[in-house]
Amino acid sequence: MKNYQATEKFLSGKTILVTGATDGIGKQAALTYAQYGATVILSGRNTRKLEQVYDEIESLGYPQPAYIPLNLQNTDPAQYAQVAEVIEKEFGQLDGLLLNASDLGLLSPIDHFDEETWYRVMQVNVNSTFLLTKYCLPLIRKAKKAAIALTSSGVGRQGRAYWGAYSVSKFATEGLMQILADELDKTEIIVNSINPGATQTKMRANAYPGEDPATLPTANDIMPAYLWLMDTEQNFGTGQAINARDFIK
């Protein structure tokens, strides 16, 4: 993995939807995909921040992006269907889907876990991922080759005390990835999960407030993994649980 080298502009002509594109890893992934030639559709709930990322991409001279405000706490399937309708109308198909947005919730033992927070985390991390994937799949099937990447976590592969809803949601994410990969095994669509690992993000800081962020990789450091996930010419695998740190040289 450390030997992976993305080809310049290999994403030219491709359209990629990135959720959670206003901050942290999602924002960096959107910028990186645009740098390599993709038309990026930015998704997030904060319109002002979406506009800022949009402007940044344009100022760098990358392909003109688009943005779709989307609050993943919304449980109405019609909202997700509408997103797919807008993308189909404007772009016709999707070549990539990075399901990056996540809600940490809180760290708490199960017997003290707040029920409302549990439901919210499951909605954002599991239900919205299912709904967005379901309604975008027809667009993804239209692409010659396509990639779906679901964001997991180390605590979604090995449970850990006090990680509650977040950990459980990421186990569900891994399950959804495996099911999708198996269902799409005979197609030109690859499906993988990505564990970013400890990275300099707001979510990491909230989970580990006493940690020195300077000791952690930046979002940019782990971008080779995110490029590889969308590289349908070099990445022939599907159903893989990837660790972003394996790509850091």
Side-chain angles (χ1 to χ4, degrees):
M1 300 297 187
K2 289 185 178 181
N3 296 324
Y4 170 71
Q5 183 64 50
T7 304
E8 185 179 0
K9 303 299 180 183
F10 79 97
L11 293 174
S12 293
K14 296 193 174 186
T15 302
I16 300 176
L17 173 61
V18 178
T19 69
T22 57
D23 292 293
I25 293 171
K27 176 182 176 180
Q28 186 60 57
L31 289 166
T32 302
Y33 292 153
Q35 177 187 349
Y36 279 80
T39 296
V40 181
I41 304 172
L42 311 165
S43 178
R45 62 181 180 178
N46 188 314
T47 301
R48 180 182 59 82
K49 286 186 175 182
L50 286 172
E51 291 172 346
Q52 289 174 345
V53 180
Y54 178 101
D55 290 343
E56 186 172 351
I57 290 173
E58 278 215 313
S59 70
L60 291 167
Y62 301 152
Q64 183 179 24
Y67 67 84
I68 301 177
L70 179 63
N71 185 352
L72 299 181
Q73 294 183 32
N74 191 321
T75 60
D76 182 6
Q79 181 193 41
Y80 301 89
Q82 185 178 24
V83 169
E85 289 170 5
V86 170
I87 294 172
E88 182 173 29
K89 181 180 178 181
E90 296 297 326
F91 301 99
Q93 67 182 45
L94 265 182
D95 302 279
L97 174 59
L98 174 60
L99 296 155
N100 168 76
S102 293
D103 189 328
L104 176 66
L106 56 86
L107 302 184
S108 168
I110 293 298
D111 54 344
H112 292 288
F113 209 99
D114 175 66
E115 291 94 341
E116 185 176 342
T117 301
W118 184 281
Y119 294 142
R120 188 190 74 236
V121 171
M122 290 299 170
Q123 170 57 32
V124 173
N125 297 2
V126 182
N127 299 338
S128 73
T129 295
F130 153 68
L131 288 166
L132 196 56
T133 302
K134 173 184 175 179
Y135 286 106
C136 285
L137 265 176
L139 301 176
I140 294 170
R141 289 181 186 275
K142 289 184 177 182
K144 183 179 179 181
K145 292 183 178 180
I148 301 173
L150 295 83
T151 300
S152 184
S153 170
V155 296
R157 298 171 183 173
Q158 175 62 56
R160 194 180 306 162
Y162 312 121
W163 281 81
Y166 183 79
S167 180
V168 172
S169 74
K170 294 306 179 180
F171 271 94
T173 297
E174 292 287 350
L176 178 58
M177 179 275 289
Q178 292 174 21
I179 291 167
L180 278 170
D182 200 36
E183 290 180 354
L184 299 171
D185 185 51
K186 303 303 180 182
T187 72
E188 293 294 322
I189 304 169
I190 56 174
V191 186
N192 296 291
S193 69
I194 177 78
N195 168 26
T199 312
Q200 291 182 33
T201 62
K202 291 180 182 178
M203 181 180 289
R204 179 70 184 189
N206 289 335
Y208 295 91
E211 186 176 57
D212 180 3
T215 63
L216 305 176
T218 65
N220 188 56
D221 290 333
I222 61 173
M223 282 302 108
Y226 284 79
L227 287 169
W228 182 83
L229 288 168
M230 295 294 152
D231 193 342
T232 54
E233 297 303 320
Q234 295 194 60
N235 173 9
F236 300 106
T238 191
Q240 301 173 95
I242 302 302
N243 293 307
R245 284 206 170 196
D246 291 342
F247 288 77
I248 298 177
K249 295 181 180 180

